Amino acid sequence: MITLTTGAERRLAAEHWLLSTVQDRKRVRAEWDERPFVLLPCGALFAAVRIPSTVVQAAAGSDDQEDVDHYLAEALMEGPVICDRYAARYYALVPASTARRWDVPDTVCLGRGRSWASLALV
Protein backbone atom coordinates (compact mmCIF):
# COMPACT_ATOMS: atom_id res chain seq x y z
CA MET A 1 0.00 0.00 0.00
CA ILE A 2 1.32 3.44 -0.94
CA THR A 3 0.77 6.25 1.53
CA LEU A 4 0.60 9.78 0.18
CA THR A 5 1.31 12.89 2.23
CA THR A 6 -0.42 16.08 1.18
CA GLY A 7 1.25 19.48 1.05
CA ALA A 8 -0.99 20.61 3.92
CA GLU A 9 0.17 17.65 6.04
CA ARG A 10 3.84 18.42 5.30
CA ARG A 11 3.26 22.10 6.15
CA LEU A 12 1.61 21.19 9.45
CA ALA A 13 4.43 18.78 10.33
CA ALA A 14 7.03 21.46 9.56
CA GLU A 15 5.14 24.01 11.68
CA HIS A 16 4.97 21.63 14.63
CA TRP A 17 8.65 20.77 14.29
CA LEU A 18 9.73 24.43 14.13
CA LEU A 19 7.40 25.46 16.96
CA SER A 20 8.79 22.67 19.15
CA THR A 21 11.92 24.81 19.59
CA VAL A 22 10.08 27.45 21.63
CA GLN A 23 8.36 27.50 25.02
CA ASP A 24 5.45 29.80 24.15
CA ARG A 25 4.05 28.34 20.95
CA LYS A 26 0.90 30.49 21.03
CA ARG A 27 2.93 33.71 21.16
CA VAL A 28 5.18 32.62 18.30
CA ARG A 29 2.19 31.48 16.21
CA ALA A 30 0.56 34.91 16.80
CA GLU A 31 3.80 36.65 15.71
CA TRP A 32 3.90 34.47 12.60
CA ASP A 33 0.36 35.52 11.76
CA GLU A 34 1.26 39.22 12.15
CA ARG A 35 4.44 39.32 10.08
CA PRO A 36 6.30 37.17 7.55
CA PHE A 37 8.94 35.91 9.99
CA VAL A 38 9.67 34.92 13.56
CA LEU A 39 12.90 34.27 15.42
CA LEU A 40 13.48 30.69 16.48
CA PRO A 41 16.35 29.45 18.64
CA CYS A 42 19.01 27.30 17.03
CA GLY A 43 21.16 24.63 18.58
CA ALA A 44 18.76 22.25 20.30
CA LEU A 45 16.92 20.51 17.44
CA PHE A 46 18.78 22.03 14.52
CA ALA A 47 21.32 24.58 13.38
CA ALA A 48 20.76 26.80 10.34
CA VAL A 49 23.43 27.47 7.73
CA ARG A 50 22.87 30.99 6.38
CA ILE A 51 23.91 31.22 2.73
CA PRO A 52 23.72 34.36 0.57
CA SER A 53 21.45 33.85 -2.44
CA THR A 54 24.31 34.84 -4.76
CA VAL A 55 26.30 31.83 -3.50
CA VAL A 56 23.35 29.46 -3.99
CA GLN A 57 22.61 30.86 -7.44
CA ALA A 58 26.27 30.51 -8.46
CA ALA A 59 26.31 26.89 -7.28
CA ALA A 60 23.03 26.22 -9.12
CA GLY A 61 24.31 27.95 -12.25
CA SER A 62 21.09 29.94 -12.48
CA ASP A 63 19.09 32.68 -10.80
CA ASP A 64 15.78 31.14 -11.92
CA GLN A 65 13.89 30.13 -8.76
CA GLU A 66 12.75 26.77 -10.16
CA ASP A 67 16.32 25.89 -11.17
CA VAL A 68 17.62 26.93 -7.75
CA ASP A 69 14.89 24.94 -5.97
CA HIS A 70 15.70 21.84 -8.04
CA TYR A 71 19.42 22.26 -7.37
CA LEU A 72 18.92 22.61 -3.60
CA ALA A 73 16.55 19.64 -3.42
CA GLU A 74 19.11 17.47 -5.15
CA ALA A 75 22.22 18.84 -3.43
CA LEU A 76 20.70 18.67 0.04
CA MET A 77 18.87 15.36 -0.54
CA GLU A 78 15.47 16.99 0.02
CA GLY A 79 16.64 18.43 3.36
CA PRO A 80 14.78 21.46 4.73
CA VAL A 81 15.75 24.85 3.30
CA ILE A 82 14.09 28.20 3.89
CA CYS A 83 14.39 31.02 1.36
CA ASP A 84 14.35 34.52 2.85
CA ARG A 85 13.65 36.63 -0.22
CA TYR A 86 13.60 39.84 1.83
CA ALA A 87 17.22 39.43 2.92
CA ALA A 88 18.32 37.43 -0.17
CA ARG A 89 19.49 34.47 1.94
CA TYR A 90 18.85 30.79 2.26
CA TYR A 91 18.85 28.84 5.51
CA ALA A 92 19.62 25.13 5.30
CA LEU A 93 18.53 23.32 8.44
CA VAL A 94 21.19 20.87 9.58
CA PRO A 95 21.93 18.77 12.67
CA ALA A 96 22.61 20.94 15.73
CA SER A 97 26.15 19.56 16.09
CA THR A 98 27.13 21.03 12.70
CA ALA A 99 27.76 24.46 14.24
CA ARG A 100 30.71 23.16 16.29
CA ARG A 101 32.77 22.37 13.21
CA TRP A 102 31.42 24.68 10.50
CA ASP A 103 34.04 26.64 8.54
CA VAL A 104 32.79 27.37 5.03
CA PRO A 105 33.58 30.74 3.41
CA ASP A 106 30.69 33.15 2.76
CA THR A 107 28.34 31.22 5.07
CA VAL A 108 27.50 31.19 8.77
CA CYS A 109 26.24 28.26 10.80
CA LEU A 110 23.84 29.47 13.47
CA GLY A 111 24.00 27.12 16.45
CA ARG A 112 23.17 27.21 20.16
CA GLY A 113 22.47 30.70 21.42
CA ARG A 114 21.84 32.13 17.97
CA SER A 115 18.39 32.98 16.69
CA TRP A 116 17.32 32.25 13.19
CA ALA A 117 14.78 34.24 11.19
CA SER A 118 12.10 31.91 9.88
CA LEU A 119 9.75 32.86 7.10
CA ALA A 120 6.10 32.09 7.57
CA LEU A 121 5.15 28.76 6.11
CA VAL A 122 2.83 29.25 3.17
Side-chain angles (χ1 to χ4, degrees):
M1 177 205 268
I2 297 175
T3 303
L4 296 177
T5 305
T6 66
E9 291 169 326
R10 284 192 305 276
R11 180 182 181 272
L12 185 60
E15 281 184 27
H16 284 285
W17 181 67
L18 291 170
L19 289 172
S20 72
T21 65
V22 296
Q23 301 255 339
D24 189 349
R25 291 183 180 129
K26 287 183 181 181
R27 178 189 55 80
V28 172
R29 169 50 58 206
E31 288 178 15
W32 231 335
D33 291 341
E34 292 174 12
R35 60 181 189 257
F37 65 91
V38 295
L39 295 179
L40 299 173
C42 292
L45 294 178
F46 60 84
V49 177
R50 184 174 60 209
I51 311 164
S53 61
T54 54
V55 171
V56 174
Q57 291 166 354
S62 175
D63 62 0
D64 178 76
Q65 193 62 52
E66 283 188 36
D67 292 342
V68 171
D69 290 349
H70 178 74
Y71 168 78
L72 287 172
E74 189 173 296
L76 299 175
M77 299 179 285
E78 300 290 333
V81 178
I82 306 296
C83 177
D84 180 348
R85 291 193 177 121
Y86 297 104
R89 295 179 178 149
Y90 287 84
Y91 293 86
L93 304 187
V94 297
S97 61
T98 304
R100 291 194 302 260
R101 61 186 182 280
W102 191 260
D103 185 22
V104 177
D106 299 323
T107 66
V108 176
C109 189
L110 306 171
R112 187 168 297 283
R114 304 280 303 266
S115 290
W116 163 66
S118 167
L119 292 184
L121 297 171
V122 291

